[in-house]
Amino acid sequence: MLAPGARADVRVDLNVIAIPNEDEMDGELLLFNQTTGREYRLQYWIAFQRPPIGSADILLVDDDSGLSFQTFYQMALDTQGFSYATWDVKAQGAYPVADVMRPFDTVIWFLSAKSLNEYTDKTSMSYILDFNSRHLFETDLQRYLAEGGNLLLSGQDYLDDKESAMFSRETLGVELRTRDAAAQSITGISGNPVGNAFISTSLVFPSAIENLVDDLRLVRPEAQPAFYANSNTLRRVGVTMDTCTYRSVFLAFPLETMSQIAAQTILRNSLRWFAGKSAASQGLASFAPSRIDLAVDSPPYIFRASGQGFVMQNGYQARLQDWALQSVTRVDCQTITGEIPSTITPGTYSFSLTTGDGHTWRFPQAIEISNSASVQEWSVFEP
């Protein structure tokens, strides 16, 4: 409680979802004190700093904590004539959001030695901020990929402590099998579009990077092993994912520990494979049934929504306006099923579906619910 005449400094953090076209904004912020009932008006001014991105096919997300490994990737891309823009996470103080990534066909994200396991105190503010910022970036990446983007992620120690379990399982199609198993050599797997015909090559770890290459287990049917380590075909360290909307390559080893020629081969194979993906489509196409008569049709009332782009396995929510639908299940990339509550009341309802990657689609006037038992028929008698 402030004494009469006392003054307090107030800081307000504004979470800007999308940066507007203007370079600056100003306005008035209204604050209301529920205890005293008084209103306070604060003038604000915000300047937006936009990093130079430019026009390119690839967004190179440099997440190596300020080290200089971005030059390795830039040289590999320059040598093969790929156009790219670089986003330095440490310099920008943030990861790129979905709006930044959306114009690019491919995102290449590399972490080098960076790992959340560097933090011994998982309650520290530094760990919480790093964890949250990565989680938000992964959420934006899921949205970007569901819209038809592509991802190449090179990050050893990425899966430790399950800090990214949903993203790794759903989006990359893998989980941790053996932690920090180390790898001295990498071999491509025959038949894989990225690893095919890739001969065995040694890994050389500089002093800045400890050898913490994880062993992977594949958990989605769309995932395919691409590389194995130490001449052991069961020691999977690279995986490709080919889904109905996106393609991804996950390398559990730092690409920069390879020779430049070997790394260029993996980059070239990955980017050529990405380029072969047809444009993704998304949205609802149909909803069935179109009618239910509560007096005639018996529950359970099963619905079937058809469309394109249902890429995530989990996380779906469906509604008929204010009615939450039950047992919502992804059958495949074109089909969602579920159950309409038996307590629903008569009316005409629009259908909405929120996908596992955060998109929401609507199908207007999807179904008519009626109850013929409540309709009374009157006979007309002639005098």
Side-chain angles (χ1 to χ4, degrees):
M1 178 71 70
L2 292 176
R7 179 173 178 174
D9 292 328
V10 178
R11 172 179 172 177
V12 178
D13 293 325
L14 297 177
N15 182 20
V16 180
I17 302 300
I19 298 178
N21 293 327
E22 295 81 11
D23 291 327
E24 59 185 51
M25 285 177 59
D26 58 51
E28 189 175 66
L29 183 66
L30 178 64
L31 300 178
F32 179 73
N33 188 319
Q34 292 182 331
T35 302
T36 64
R38 295 184 62 182
E39 292 183 350
Y40 302 88
R41 297 180 182 274
L42 301 177
Q43 300 295 322
Y44 68 84
W45 173 79
I46 304 172
F48 297 99
Q49 181 180 7
R50 292 178 176 81
I53 291 296
S55 176
D57 296 325
I58 301 165
L59 180 62
L60 183 62
V61 179
D62 174 3
D63 196 13
D64 64 2
S65 299
L67 300 175
S68 57
F69 292 108
Q70 75 277 2
T71 57
F72 181 90
Y73 290 85
Q74 291 168 340
M75 183 183 299
L77 295 172
D78 286 336
T79 300
Q80 299 180 75
F82 293 110
S83 63
Y84 63 91
T86 303
W87 180 287
D88 189 323
V89 175
K90 186 175 180 63
Q92 298 296 342
Y95 287 97
V97 297
D99 284 345
V100 172
M101 294 184 283
R102 196 167 281 122
F104 297 90
D105 295 331
T106 297
V107 169
I108 297 177
W109 177 22
F110 66 95
L111 286 78
S112 295
K114 184 174 181 179
S115 168
L116 292 179
N117 284 313
E118 297 170 359
Y119 297 99
T120 56
D121 181 5
K122 299 301 175 67
T123 64
S124 68
M125 185 56 65
S126 296
Y127 172 80
I128 293 171
L129 291 175
D130 203 357
F131 179 97
N132 288 342
S133 61
R134 180 183 290 191
H135 174 72
L136 291 173
F137 178 50
E138 291 167 346
T139 300
D140 276 351
L141 266 176
Q142 283 184 316
R143 183 180 294 269
Y144 161 78
L145 293 171
E147 294 173 1
N150 301 289
L151 172 67
L152 189 153
L153 168 58
S154 172
Q156 70 161 6
D157 214 25
Y158 177 77
L159 300 178
D160 283 5
D161 278 2
K162 307 294 185 182
E163 71 263 21
S164 306
M166 183 192 69
F167 182 80
S168 58
R169 291 181 61 87
E170 282 277 10
T171 308
L172 304 177
V174 299
E175 66 180 11
L176 185 65
R177 182 182 179 188
T178 306
R179 173 177 174 171
D180 302 344
Q184 285 72 47
S185 65
I186 301 295
T187 305
I189 294 179
S190 178
N192 182 273
V194 177
N196 189 48
F198 182 85
I199 61 175
S200 181
T201 186
S202 298
L203 301 183
V204 179
F205 284 77
S207 58
I209 304 181
E210 187 179 357
N211 192 333
L212 300 174
V213 179
D214 293 328
D215 187 4
L216 307 177
R217 179 184 292 110
L218 281 59
V219 294
R220 282 196 62 164
E222 302 94 332
Q224 184 180 149
F227 299 96
Y228 60 88
N230 304 340
S231 302
N232 181 356
T233 57
L234 299 179
R235 173 84 168 81
R236 276 83 179 268
V237 294
V239 174
T240 57
M241 274 276 287
D242 190 359
T243 74
C244 57
T245 64
Y246 71 88
R247 287 176 172 173
S248 69
V249 176
F250 173 49
L251 307 176
F253 56 90
L255 192 64
E256 56 270 27
T257 58
M258 285 185 166
S259 69
Q260 182 67 227
I261 293 177
Q264 285 184 25
T265 300
I266 292 180
L267 283 172
R268 181 177 63 251
N269 290 352
S270 299
L271 294 171
R272 286 180 176 175
W273 182 54
F274 292 160
K277 185 70 175 179
S278 58
S281 60
Q282 290 181 294
L284 293 167
S286 65
F287 181 90
S290 59
R291 291 180 177 83
I292 291 178
D293 186 339
L294 300 176
V296 176
D297 301 310
S298 300
Y301 305 127
I302 304 299
F303 76 85
R304 183 183 184 91
S306 299
Q308 292 286 342
F310 310 147
V311 64
M312 298 297 154
Q313 290 184 313
N314 302 293
Y316 292 87
Q317 297 180 342
R319 306 184 73 88
L320 290 178
Q321 290 173 205
D322 294 333
W323 292 82
L325 305 186
Q326 303 160 352
S327 303
V328 180
T329 304
R330 173 191 182 269
V331 178
D332 52 38
C333 208
Q334 294 81 39
T335 310
I336 298 290
T337 63
E339 186 175 335
I340 299 170
S342 59
T343 55
I344 195 167
T345 56
T348 300
Y349 294 91
S350 296
F351 173 72
S352 65
L353 176 70
T354 299
T355 66
D357 49 75
H359 290 87
T360 297
W361 300 315
R362 292 176 174 82
F363 196 86
Q365 297 182 328
I367 187 170
E368 179 185 352
I369 307 292
S370 63
N371 190 341
S372 59
S374 64
V375 178
Q376 297 183 0
E377 295 186 2
W378 294 84
S379 298
V380 179
F381 294 92
E382 295 286 343

